[in-house]
Amino acid sequence: MFGIVLWRDDPLNKAVIWCDDQGDLAFYTRKASEDFLELNPGDWVECELTLNGNCRIAENLALVLEQGSPDLADRLCAAAGRGAKAAGAGQENGTVVPFPQHSVKKSGALRRRFM
């Protein structure tokens, strides 16, 4: 599964990832046995998903592209604010937030595996 890091907390070693299947957000927590993993909002990652109750857990992260969409979380928040105003006015209005286009060939993309 591919996704974009929306939020991370360094001291807690946690991150929230929006996955390409558009399902619920996935939560990542670095395990003590894992090497240091530096994630930043906007990083594109590949991961495995498991379910823990109602939560999707991201594991075995691999960095695909650093800073692929660094302003995505801000753009989503701004779009949500506009959507709430429109819904309050009784209008049905959807906003699509496009992903930026990158010319990264899958075979040439630099990947780092984090175990």
Side-chain angles (χ1 to χ4, degrees):
M1 178 79 53
F2 291 94
I4 297 175
V5 176
L6 294 178
W7 172 89
R8 59 107 167 105
D9 185 300
D10 281 337
L12 296 176
N13 296 312
K14 295 183 181 284
V16 175
I17 300 168
W18 184 21
C19 296
D20 63 352
D21 68 352
Q22 305 298 310
D24 291 338
L25 297 175
F27 300 93
Y28 169 76
T29 302
R30 184 176 66 87
K31 297 176 180 151
S33 61
E34 291 178 325
D35 291 333
F36 177 72
L37 176 62
E38 184 177 334
L39 292 175
N40 293 296
D43 288 350
W44 294 6
V45 295
E46 185 176 12
C47 63
E48 296 174 11
L49 289 181
T50 59
L51 286 176
N52 184 0
N54 291 341
C55 290
R56 291 174 15 138
I57 307 299
E59 299 177 315
N60 300 323
L61 266 64
L63 185 62
V64 176
L65 180 65
E66 290 180 341
Q67 296 297 297
S69 303
D71 63 341
L72 181 61
D74 293 333
R75 292 171 47 213
L76 289 170
C77 288
R82 287 192 303 269
K85 290 177 188 174
Q91 301 173 357
E92 290 189 26
N93 184 12
T95 304
V96 175
V97 178
F99 285 91
Q101 297 291 322
H102 288 281
S103 59
V104 178
K105 294 180 182 177
K106 187 172 183 176
S107 62
L110 177 62
R111 291 184 178 194
R112 290 186 278 171
R113 261 294 178 213
F114 299 95
M115 301 279 175

